[in-house]
Amino acid sequence: MSAPPPLQIREANAHLVAVHRRAAELEARLDAAERTVRSQAERLAHHDEQLRAALDELGRAKDRTVTTEFCLPASEIAALQEQLLTSEATVHSLQAAVRQRDKLIRQLQPRAELLQDICRQRPPLAGLLAALAEAERLGPLPASDPGHPLSGAPSLLLANSTEEEGDRDHLQPAVFGTTV
């Protein structure tokens, strides 16, 4: 088995560097998306607390109005009813915003999972890159010993020892590298 040509090794290394760069870009995008989702979730939680407080206050105001209804002038009752309608409209608007954000989170979730999967696969890729760099550093084998099985053409001594003699004719030399 002969060493792959330096061009193939460089092409393979360039391809792996491009893959590594793309993985880093995707990681950065994942981090940004996670920060955005986290920020939106915090804002939604804050809005939810505000809505609950507003609803509690409206409930208390309504209770006060009911208990003192006969003591309040009609203009004050009308103002409170309008405030109640405005608050209910705000609640509906905020609930719609929460639903829209939940929908966005559901849409971003598969992408976040894919990017997390890519991040988990980085260590094996780094190991492969290191092995390829080591293979390139070692360079080709010297061809000075014509009797050595690794000099020149591929030797059948490197074939699988469990194969029958007749099956060895179909073997072809292995080529190290990738198509870029």
Side-chain angles (χ1 to χ4, degrees):
M1 176 179 211
S2 64
L7 176 62
Q8 281 185 331
I9 292 173
R10 280 192 298 278
E11 287 177 347
N13 284 342
H15 177 71
L16 289 173
V17 166
V19 167
H20 185 267
R21 188 179 306 120
R22 179 67 177 148
E25 290 171 6
L26 291 174
E27 269 185 31
R29 287 177 59 192
L30 172 64
D31 289 342
E34 286 176 346
R35 283 191 303 273
T36 301
V37 167
R38 217 174 296 119
S39 172
Q40 288 174 348
E42 290 171 3
R43 282 194 305 261
L44 289 174
H46 181 69
H47 283 304
D48 189 42
E49 289 173 11
Q50 288 176 337
L51 287 175
R52 286 193 179 133
L55 285 174
D56 290 343
E57 180 58 34
L58 285 175
R60 285 190 297 274
K62 186 177 180 181
D63 290 343
R64 283 191 304 260
T65 303
V66 169
T67 58
T68 60
E69 185 172 283
F70 299 107
C71 299
L72 293 176
S75 62
E76 203 173 321
I77 291 174
L80 288 174
Q81 286 175 336
E82 186 164 331
Q83 182 183 4
L84 177 62
L85 291 174
T86 303
S87 296
E88 287 176 345
T90 302
V91 167
H92 290 297
S93 171
L94 291 173
Q95 286 174 337
V98 167
R99 284 191 298 273
Q100 185 178 9
R101 297 260 168 85
D102 285 345
K103 181 180 176 184
L104 178 63
I105 289 170
R106 284 191 303 273
Q107 288 173 346
L108 292 174
Q109 190 64 38
R111 291 179 184 192
E113 290 170 0
L114 175 64
L115 290 174
Q116 287 173 342
D117 188 40
I118 289 170
C119 292
R120 280 191 296 273
Q121 294 178 14
R122 276 187 69 200
L125 180 61
L128 179 60
L129 286 172
L132 286 174
E134 179 66 16
E136 189 172 272
R137 186 189 67 75
L138 292 175
L141 290 175
S144 61
D145 183 9
H148 193 277
L150 292 179
S151 66
S155 170
L156 291 180
L157 295 176
L158 297 177
N160 188 342
S161 63
T162 61
E163 293 179 355
E164 294 295 325
E165 287 296 322
D167 290 343
R168 291 186 183 185
D169 294 338
H170 74 281
L171 292 178
Q172 296 184 6
V175 178
F176 183 79
T178 64
T179 304
V180 181

